[in-house]
Amino acid sequence: MDENFKLRIFTEPQQGATYDDLLRVAKTAENAGYDAFFRSDHYLKMGPVTGEPGPTDAWVTLAGLARETSGLRLGTLMTAGTFRLPGPLAIAVAQVDQMSGGRVELGLGTGWYAEEHTAYGIPFPSLKERFDRYAEQLEIITGLWGTPVGEAFAFDGEYYQLADSPALPKPVQRPRPPVLIGGTGKKRTPRLAARFADEFNLPFVDLDTAAAQYERVAEACREIGRDPGEVVRSAALVLCVGKDDAEIARRAEAIGREVDELRLNGLCGTPAEVADKIGTWRERTGITRLYLQVLDLSDLDHLELVAAEVAPQL
């Protein structure tokens, strides 16, 4: 695989997974040569599944994996800004970065899933307020990490005020762990990405939508004098690969999806077909990282097949 192009595993544990399930997937991914293990940050299942045995917390999970893996990068797509105050989140991410020896990445979003907020008593402001808070959160988290040791950090925003913060602990990675921003918003999202993002991610969109949004981010970078090449481009797509039609159909059925729909909207087909589609994405969008959404966490052979027969073609 091209050393400049990375395949990453992306899981959705709210659909039903224990920490041990995630550990098995992460260790399989590491042993197979994937670059990273990422997980969603949700507290409620989606769609016609039970969600049992119940949700797991993203940063508790990543702290455990930090001690049980050695080279795999670890992160979130995306931590919801509504779930955590920015100061404590900066502390938690810095601590997990220390626990991992500097392998953590923070994907941060506004939060969007109203039902999970209702289910667990989490306030869910209007979209405008969520975006306003999100902008302050990004400034606070990066500001805390970037404050020199021995100096204090202060912030006086509409929603958050910090005074005389020691801005500790510091993450291992300097100047900070990578920050991921994503989404298809046409105005505020590109501007925030230009200011704060090390990576811009687009989940589950088509090629034309992706190409247009990456260009909006690039233009927003140029407007503030930042080199657009500093922002890594990435995408996330659902994975369903099989050696033949029967195996493809079996894996599609296991995740409750139709093969034709997956071929259209995801990475579905034989290893050669999927490698070709990834090549088209790279050519059309300039992505250098691809998050493979793995929905059947019991099918470890799926990960090993892609590592053995798709990755070498890239």
Side-chain angles (χ1 to χ4, degrees):
M1 184 167 64
D2 183 345
E3 65 179 10
N4 296 315
F5 185 78
K6 306 296 185 184
L7 288 180
R8 297 179 153 192
I9 297 301
F10 172 45
T11 62
E12 302 270 11
Q14 77 278 355
Q15 299 301 90
T18 65
Y19 171 77
D20 286 338
D21 294 329
L22 298 174
L23 176 60
R24 282 189 289 272
V25 173
K27 286 193 168 183
T28 299
E30 183 165 55
N31 292 336
Y34 289 95
D35 177 60
F37 172 94
F38 272 59
R39 60 156 292 165
S40 60
D41 191 1
H42 286 296
Y43 291 132
L44 188 68
K45 62 96 174 181
M46 302 170 192
V49 297
T50 67
E52 295 175 356
T56 50
D57 183 87
W59 287 100
V60 172
T61 297
L62 295 178
L65 296 179
R67 307 303 289 180
E68 298 194 70
T69 58
S70 59
L72 203 62
R73 296 195 67 80
L74 303 166
T76 50
L77 284 182
M78 301 281 186
T79 285
T82 49
F83 289 177
R84 298 167 176 87
L85 296 170
L89 180 59
I91 291 170
V93 177
Q95 181 181 1
V96 178
D97 197 51
Q98 292 177 357
M99 294 168 70
S100 70
R103 293 184 282 125
V104 159
E105 305 186 10
L106 171 62
L108 184 64
T110 60
W112 61 269
Y113 188 19
E115 288 83 354
E116 69 186 333
H117 294 74
T118 301
Y120 287 97
I122 303 167
F124 190 65
S126 68
L127 179 60
K128 179 184 183 303
E129 181 176 331
R130 295 201 309 276
F131 256 101
D132 291 343
R133 287 180 177 271
Y134 179 49
E136 292 188 14
Q137 290 163 348
L138 287 164
E139 195 158 346
I140 290 165
I141 292 167
T142 57
L144 287 168
W145 289 341
T147 299
V149 175
E151 296 185 15
F153 175 79
F155 182 83
D156 186 17
E158 181 178 357
Y159 297 101
Y160 305 102
Q161 296 81 39
L162 288 74
D164 298 321
S165 172
L168 296 172
K170 297 299 185 202
V172 170
Q173 297 176 87
R174 305 304 294 159
R176 68 185 192 204
V179 172
L180 288 74
I181 291 176
T184 56
K186 295 181 179 180
K187 295 180 179 179
R188 296 190 71 178
T189 298
R191 291 199 296 266
L192 288 171
R195 286 186 61 197
F196 297 107
D198 300 289
E199 178 176 333
F200 188 78
N201 179 267
L202 284 172
F204 318 121
V205 301
D206 61 80
L207 275 165
D208 291 339
T209 299
Q213 185 69 344
Y214 292 133
E215 181 51 38
R216 290 186 192 100
V217 173
E219 181 58 31
C221 286
R222 288 188 285 267
E223 287 176 358
I224 64 171
R226 184 181 183 188
D227 178 1
E230 294 178 0
V231 181
V232 172
R233 296 181 177 188
S234 68
L237 293 168
V238 63
L239 186 70
C240 182
V241 183
K243 293 182 179 179
D244 52 36
D245 288 345
E247 191 168 71
I248 294 166
R250 175 176 62 79
R251 289 197 161 116
E253 183 179 9
I255 61 174
R257 302 280 284 271
E258 297 292 332
V259 171
D260 290 345
E261 179 268 325
L262 285 170
R263 286 185 185 275
L264 179 65
N265 297 316
L267 295 173
C268 179
T270 64
E273 289 174 323
V274 167
D276 285 345
K277 187 162 187 178
I278 293 173
T280 301
W281 266 84
R282 295 176 68 181
E283 182 179 350
R284 288 276 305 278
T285 67
I287 60 169
T288 56
R289 291 177 190 161
L290 184 58
Y291 294 79
L292 309 177
Q293 186 196 41
V294 177
L295 294 175
D296 183 357
L297 299 184
S298 67
D299 188 359
L300 302 180
D301 291 342
H302 196 189
L303 279 65
E304 292 172 343
L305 172 65
V306 172
E309 298 196 23
V310 176
Q313 299 185 59
L314 303 179

